[in-house]
């Protein structure tokens, strides 16, 4: 089966495949990733949609993320996921590559040279808190400072993705040496990225973003940040579901102590 590029015209087929595997459609996420990244897919030989997909998103010249790794159930265990992963890794070149892996996907990634460097858990709930008074809504005039802080903290260039926050998301907020963003995904609102100088600033940004969104929100929390996890749980974030953060060909860039929530945890 031939690997081909995926684009906006494949959005319906991507969401159909996701639904068939008991994922949410995540149409908003697919649309963004297919725009800022490079989608790869294999068409089903029976002509019924896509047999398998993934997306490679490059950050600068030294990092890339693979996400949306899906195979139709009727085409499972035929080597399609591995073929697409090998293709994406070839396109990534010498970059360090990271992904979030389910337990089902982790053995394949280990065979391809990935190693687990952490655990991230999705927490959802209705945030219970009050406005912090320490953040404000961001404007276009804040974009330069946001991009500079992110480049310093993340260790590579994510500007082509972060420039989309104002149009893609529900809310963008800034604080002294911090920024945060939230965006709608199916039935809830996802908070991230959140970059901040310290835990208190991150909590202020996360809480205010959750209050902006109203209703149920989602936070993808690094389980190594135990204080942040405990704070989120105490403020109504429950039902955790954990996945592995994996890396190949190097180490994660930047200062992870100031990276409190990812832009989007796109599973593999």
């Amino acid at each position: 089966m031939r690997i081909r590029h995926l684009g906006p015209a494949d959005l319906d087929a991507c969401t159909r495949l996701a639904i068939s595997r008991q994922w949410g459609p995540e149409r908003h996420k697919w649309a963004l990733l297919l725009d800022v990244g490079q989608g790869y897919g294999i068409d089903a030989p029976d002509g019924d949609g896509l047999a398998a997909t993934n997306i490679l998103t490059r950050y600068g010249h030294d990092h890339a993320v693979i996400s949306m790794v899906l195979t139709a159930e009727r085409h499972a265990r035929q080597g399609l996921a591995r073929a697409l992963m090998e293709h994406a890794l070839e396109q990534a070149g010498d970059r360090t590559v990271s992904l979030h892996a389910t337990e089902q996907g982790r053995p394949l990634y280990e065979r391809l040279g990935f190693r687990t460097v952490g655990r991230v858990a999705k927490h959802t709930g209705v945030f219970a808190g009050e406005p912090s008074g320490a953040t404000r809504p961001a404007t276009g005039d804040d974009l330069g400072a946001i991009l500079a802080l992110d480049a310093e903290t993340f260790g590579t260039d994510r500007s082509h993705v972060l420039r989309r926050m104002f149009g893609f998301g529900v809310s963008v907020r800034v604080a002294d040496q911090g920024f945060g963003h939230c965006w709608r995904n199916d039935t809830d609102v996802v908070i991230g990225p959140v970059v901040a100088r310290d835990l208190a600033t991150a909590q202020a940004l996360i809480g205010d973003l959750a209050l902006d969104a109203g209703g149920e929100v989602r936070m993808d929390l690094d389980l190594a940040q135990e204080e942040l996890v405990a704070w989120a749980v105490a403020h109504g974030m429950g039902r955790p579901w954990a996945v592995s953060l994996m890396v190949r060909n190097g180490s994660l860039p930047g200062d992870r102590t100031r990276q409190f929530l990812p832009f989007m945890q796109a599973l593999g």
Side-chain angles (χ1 to χ4, degrees):
M1 298 186 208
R2 183 177 63 88
I3 295 172
R4 66 173 179 86
H5 285 180
L6 300 178
D10 298 295
L11 182 57
D12 287 344
C14 290
T15 58
R16 282 180 55 209
L17 176 58
I19 292 168
S20 78
R21 296 312 308 260
Q22 289 74 55
W23 284 22
E26 299 190 307
R27 190 177 182 87
H28 199 38
K29 179 194 289 187
W30 278 103
L32 177 70
L33 289 173
L34 287 171
D35 186 29
V36 301
Q38 179 58 66
Y40 302 108
I42 297 174
D43 291 312
D46 58 10
D48 185 14
L50 289 163
T53 62
N54 68 26
I55 296 179
L56 175 72
T57 306
R58 299 173 178 87
Y59 292 130
H61 299 291
D62 50 7
H63 189 67
V65 175
I66 294 177
S67 60
M68 312 313 262
V69 180
L70 277 168
T71 303
E73 179 63 34
R74 67 189 187 280
H75 296 297
R77 296 170 293 280
Q78 296 177 22
L80 303 188
R82 183 180 185 114
L84 280 171
M85 283 294 299
E86 289 175 340
H87 182 77
L89 291 172
E90 181 180 355
Q91 301 306 306
D94 293 333
R95 292 174 172 86
T96 298
V97 180
S98 64
L99 53 78
H100 288 98
T102 63
E103 286 305 297
Q104 181 180 7
R106 187 165 55 85
L108 168 62
Y109 308 138
E110 289 175 340
R111 291 193 292 272
L112 291 171
F114 285 85
R115 58 190 175 87
T116 298
V117 296
R119 296 280 285 171
V120 177
K122 177 184 76 172
H123 284 68
T124 56
V126 177
F127 183 82
E130 300 295 330
S132 71
T135 78
R136 63 171 174 81
T139 71
D141 292 339
D142 295 304
L143 182 59
I146 288 172
L147 297 181
L149 176 61
D150 188 76
E152 173 191 338
T153 305
F154 196 73
T156 191
D157 182 10
R158 296 198 295 179
S159 61
H160 70 300
V161 177
L162 295 183
R163 290 179 186 277
R164 301 292 298 275
M165 289 192 303
F166 289 94
F168 177 78
V170 172
S171 177
V172 183
R173 283 191 166 266
V174 291
D176 183 16
Q177 288 297 298
F179 73 90
H181 168 256
C182 62
W183 55 280
R184 186 163 298 282
N185 187 43
D186 295 342
T187 59
D188 57 16
V189 172
V190 182
I191 299 178
V194 173
V195 170
R197 62 179 179 178
D198 53 31
L199 177 62
T201 305
Q203 289 170 340
L205 287 163
I206 293 168
D208 289 350
L209 287 165
L211 294 171
D212 282 350
E216 185 157 293
V217 297
R218 167 178 164 178
M219 305 175 190
D220 297 328
L221 298 164
D222 183 345
L223 295 181
Q225 295 180 337
E226 296 178 356
E227 287 185 79
L228 181 61
V229 174
W231 172 84
V233 170
H235 286 77
M237 297 294 102
R239 302 191 298 277
W241 181 60
V243 297
S244 298
L245 174 59
M246 305 188 77
V247 177
R248 180 183 186 270
N249 193 31
S251 301
L252 289 170
D255 180 359
R256 291 192 55 76
T257 66
R258 293 189 288 164
Q259 300 174 38
F260 289 92
L261 291 178
F263 183 59
M264 55 178 62
Q265 178 180 290
L267 295 177

